[in-house]
């Protein structure tokens, strides 16, 4: 399985941008990069995904390094509802998701 | 769109009994569904991949005779925990795969909390 590395936890102030990093040095050419988040006692929620180019949607932006060995999830204005565990996952060959330990984001009011 | 439901949301059973958990894709057809298990303060662990009309494939270390998976239709997969024991107590989460422009998204159910007494 393709491995990703994320910081265990991060903290942000409400209304400020948050940059959540992910390292995936073993990524291969066809691996998609997915981000999900999970609130306590809930199933994961899709956030965003990309292959090579940066991506934007209503929830977040995904910045992918030119060599694709790292990516950054950007929440433009963090709210208290964004406090969750964020998982960065490599999707290899349209196959299974292997979750790493994720980053627990704490948002301070 | 892309809503996945699970039933029940929580269940308590006695040791030695079996429990069935249902996973349904409500507004799309899912040829593939996945089952995960999550222990407190840990990440999700993939248990098995369920393909409609065929046998499930299990991850290494997951007992296929204990965790029976059936994917009888394009919208329903079930996980049966047989002869449950307290160590099977966990949060069980299913997901269904949806293809979107070359990338397979997974949409997750809300989870089922199983407690074995």
């Amino acid at each position: 399985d393709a491995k990703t590395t994320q910081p265990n936890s991060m903290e942000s102030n409400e209304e400020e941008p948050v940059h959540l990093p992910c390292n995936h040095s073993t990524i291969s050419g066809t691996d998609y990069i997915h981000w999900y988040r999970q609130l306590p006692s809930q199933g994961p929620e899709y956030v965003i995904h990309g292959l090579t180019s940066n991506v934007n949607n209503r929830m977040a932006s995904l910045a992918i390094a030119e060599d694709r060995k790292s990516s950054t999830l950007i929440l433009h204005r963090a709210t208290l509802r964004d406090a969750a565990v964020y998982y960065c996952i490599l999707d290899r060959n349209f196959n299974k998701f292997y979750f790493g330990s994720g980053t627990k984001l704490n948002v301070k009011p | 769109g892309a809503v996945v439901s699970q039933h029940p949301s929580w269940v308590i059973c006695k040791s030695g009994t079996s429990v069935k958990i249902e996973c349904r894709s409500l507004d799309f057809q899912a040829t593939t569904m996945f089952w995960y298990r999550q222990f407190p303060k840990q990440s999700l662990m993939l248990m098995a991949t369920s393909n409609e009309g065929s046998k499930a494939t299990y991850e290494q270390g997951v007992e296929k005779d204990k965790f029976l998976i059936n994917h009888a239709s394009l919208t329903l997969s079930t996980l049966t925990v047989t002869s449950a024991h307290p160590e099977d107590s966990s949060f069980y989460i299913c997901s269904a795969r949806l293809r979107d422009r070359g990338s397979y998204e997974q949409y997750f159910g809300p989870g089922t909390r199983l407690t074995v007494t």
Side-chain angles (χ1 to χ4, degrees):
Chain A
D1 52 315
K3 185 173 174 58
T4 61
T5 305
Q6 299 176 252
N8 288 333
S9 63
M10 291 186 66
E11 199 163 75
S12 169
N13 294 317
E14 197 175 13
E15 303 291 314
E16 291 185 356
V18 182
H19 291 233
L20 299 168
C22 180
N23 286 320
H24 29 77
S25 58
T26 60
I27 194 169
S28 66
T30 56
D31 290 349
Y32 278 81
I33 302 160
H34 291 251
W35 284 81
Y36 284 74
R37 69 183 186 183
Q38 186 181 27
L39 296 169
S41 297
Q42 295 187 26
E45 175 189 27
Y46 169 77
V47 177
I48 201 166
H49 77 280
L51 182 61
T52 55
S53 303
N54 294 343
V55 184
N56 299 297
N57 66 20
R58 65 174 179 81
M59 288 181 70
S61 295
L62 176 60
I64 301 173
E66 200 168 326
D67 63 4
R68 301 212 323 126
K69 294 183 183 232
S70 65
S71 62
T72 301
L73 178 70
I74 303 165
L75 306 179
H76 295 287
R77 289 176 69 228
T79 70
L80 297 178
R81 286 175 295 186
D82 292 322
V85 178
Y86 287 78
Y87 295 100
C88 164
I89 305 162
L90 294 185
D91 183 8
R92 176 153 290 173
N93 296 324
F94 313 133
N95 208 332
K96 313 166 191 177
F97 284 1
Y98 293 101
F99 283 74
S101 54
T103 296
K104 184 174 183 179
L105 176 65
N106 181 37
V107 180
K108 297 186 294 183
Chain B
V3 177
V4 175
S5 71
Q6 283 186 240
H7 178 80
S9 55
W10 59 271
V11 58
I12 301 172
C13 72
K14 292 186 184 297
S15 187
T17 62
S18 296
V19 174
K20 181 184 284 188
I21 302 170
E22 292 186 349
C23 176
R24 293 181 186 273
S25 56
L26 297 185
D27 49 3
F28 66 100
Q29 294 183 331
T31 54
T32 303
M33 290 183 172
F34 301 88
W35 287 95
Y36 298 82
R37 180 167 55 180
Q38 185 175 33
F39 293 108
K41 299 191 185 303
Q42 294 187 22
S43 186
L44 282 77
M45 185 191 80
L46 179 65
M47 298 175 67
T49 303
S50 166
N51 292 295
E52 187 265 339
S54 64
K55 289 184 178 180
T57 55
Y58 292 80
E59 295 296 304
Q60 191 171 9
V62 177
E63 300 173 59
K64 63 179 181 181
D65 294 329
K66 182 168 184 61
F67 298 100
L68 301 179
I69 293 172
N70 184 277
H71 194 156
S73 76
L74 288 172
T75 59
L76 173 65
S77 177
T78 61
L79 168 69
T80 301
V81 182
T82 63
S83 187
H85 291 284
E87 57 265 31
D88 299 322
S89 298
S90 188
F91 193 48
Y92 291 87
I93 306 170
C94 73
S95 71
R97 192 164 72 182
L98 175 69
R99 181 170 185 176
D100 177 32
R101 296 185 293 276
S103 172
Y104 287 83
E105 294 311 304
Q106 288 190 29
Y107 290 88
F108 288 81
T112 296
R113 173 101 32 216
L114 170 63
T115 301
V116 185
T117 61

